[in-house]
Amino acid sequence: PEFQKTAYYLVQASIDSGELVDAEQELEKAEEYLSPHYAEYLQGQILEMKEKYEKAKDMYQEMILSYDADPYEKSLLYDVYLRYFCMREETGGRMKPMLSELKSAMNKIPEAAKVWLYFGEVHEKAELEDGAAEKCYRNALKAEPFNKEAMQKLASLYIDDGRWRAVWELSEKLIIYADLTDAYAMRAQSGLEL
């Protein structure tokens, strides 16, 4: 398992730095050490780099449908869901069906803070359901109580709504747990508004 992680991160590093040729070559060498799910996930990202979004989306969807509940790979499933929904968006997926699909996904992986964050962002863009984005960000915090991004997203919503008491409380958490220097300004602003 440790060598598998190393092989995975080697290919992922090339993908993250935009080195398509290196990523393809490294994946070819590493495939014998990777589980099929990890190899497929990396291949999907390479397809994205080649701007073959529809193929990448189909690959991710197949991975989701064939997921076998291996706890070792559950965190990978979160990433697959994120990539899948990004590709849905990239290929012109309509918001309402996408939200319905996301809701279904969250029943399978309720502890996935990253997916809750994405779900919240989609709700913010779609503006179809009042309070839905806030619920998603709160669920992300249930999954990971000190998730900096979820706290920031909530704080932004609270500022937009003029909920200064909530901004005050959240800014304190951001200062203590996320070591976010911008939170001091947020706290000062909310103090002035209160």
Side-chain angles (χ1 to χ4, degrees):
E2 287 306 312
F3 191 71
Q4 175 174 290
K5 282 183 185 178
T6 303
Y8 168 79
Y9 287 125
L10 183 66
V11 179
Q12 188 65 57
S14 291
I15 290 170
D16 292 344
S17 62
E19 300 294 331
L20 176 61
V21 174
D22 289 347
E24 287 178 314
Q25 290 172 351
E26 289 163 4
L27 179 58
E28 192 175 311
K29 293 175 193 171
E31 265 185 303
E32 68 180 276
Y33 305 107
L34 297 170
S35 77
H37 288 114
Y38 277 90
E40 289 170 4
Y41 177 63
L42 293 167
Q43 185 60 47
Q45 290 180 81
I46 289 171
L47 287 170
E48 288 179 49
M49 292 173 77
K50 293 178 174 181
E51 297 183 6
K52 295 181 179 182
Y53 302 121
E54 196 67 42
K55 282 185 175 182
K57 179 188 71 120
D58 292 344
M59 180 176 274
Y60 296 139
Q61 184 175 29
E62 182 60 36
M63 289 177 70
I64 290 166
L65 295 173
S66 68
Y67 177 68
D68 59 9
D70 177 356
Y72 177 73
E73 293 186 350
K74 192 156 191 173
S75 65
L76 175 67
L77 183 63
Y78 307 157
D79 293 330
V80 171
Y81 268 108
L82 284 177
R83 299 301 329 144
Y84 171 70
F85 288 114
C86 287
M87 290 305 96
R88 283 268 312 202
E89 209 171 343
E90 190 68 38
T91 58
R94 293 187 339 265
M95 280 296 176
K96 276 193 175 183
M98 196 167 150
L99 287 170
S100 175
E101 252 184 279
L102 270 167
K103 204 173 267 187
S104 172
M106 294 319 300
N107 290 330
K108 293 179 184 175
I109 51 171
E111 71 282 2
K114 287 193 283 188
V115 181
W116 278 116
L117 283 167
Y118 182 73
F119 197 15
E121 289 168 4
V122 170
H123 270 294
E124 277 192 86
K125 283 182 194 173
E127 297 178 348
L128 296 172
E129 191 180 329
D130 283 344
E134 180 180 348
K135 272 191 233 176
C136 292
Y137 298 143
R138 286 184 172 284
N139 283 329
L141 284 174
K142 281 181 191 170
E144 287 180 29
F146 306 113
N147 185 297
K148 181 168 107 176
E149 190 175 353
M151 287 190 273
Q152 287 176 298
K153 297 272 187 191
L154 269 177
S156 179
L157 288 178
Y158 294 158
I159 289 168
D160 291 346
D161 292 346
R163 294 164 57 190
W164 298 107
R165 174 67 54 202
V167 174
W168 177 268
E169 292 167 5
L170 206 49
S171 65
E172 183 176 5
K173 289 179 183 174
L174 280 164
I175 291 167
I176 295 169
Y177 301 114
D179 194 30
L180 185 68
T181 55
D182 292 348
Y184 289 101
M186 188 187 307
R187 187 152 177 94
Q189 180 185 358
S190 61
L192 290 173
E193 297 291 338
L194 289 173

